Amino acid sequence: AEDNESEIVLHTLVQLGKALSIETTAEGIERPQDLSLIKSKDCDNGQGFLFTRPLTAHDADSFFSQWSETRRFELREGAPEPI
């Protein structure tokens, strides 16, 4: 039941963002199934351990300089899966 309630909350918040023309970002994406759920709810962006662990500012600069434009965190339809 808790999973179903969480999914309802996710859906509701994403739809609220859409209705208000606010870009939505899901946090805490840790597993491929989390990413699939976020995508299925049409969330715009996501972040979490699935992509990378927390980074220092210096390490983040290095990470993003190596992260190609085609592998961005965007979750919009057609965006590539993270590696």
Side-chain angles (χ1 to χ4, degrees):
E2 185 177 313
D3 287 342
N4 189 40
E5 289 175 2
S6 296
E7 191 170 333
I8 291 169
V9 170
L10 172 64
H11 174 80
T12 302
L13 292 174
V14 170
Q15 292 308 307
L16 178 61
K18 302 283 182 212
L20 297 172
S21 299
I22 297 172
E23 191 170 298
T24 55
T25 301
E27 298 180 350
I29 301 171
E30 297 181 3
R31 306 168 302 158
Q33 48 275 45
D34 298 335
L35 181 59
S36 294
L37 176 62
I38 299 306
K39 282 183 168 185
S40 75
K41 299 302 177 189
D42 200 26
C43 188
D44 297 309
N45 303 291
Q47 70 84 38
F49 288 165
L50 181 64
F51 303 107
T52 186
R53 298 288 182 196
L55 302 171
T56 65
H58 178 267
D59 291 341
D61 284 340
S62 297
F63 176 81
F64 286 117
S65 70
Q66 296 173 14
W67 192 268
S68 74
E69 187 65 21
T70 59
R71 293 174 53 200
R72 295 184 345 225
F73 294 138
E74 292 186 18
L75 302 180
R76 294 185 181 101
E77 185 176 8
E81 295 288 333
I83 294 177

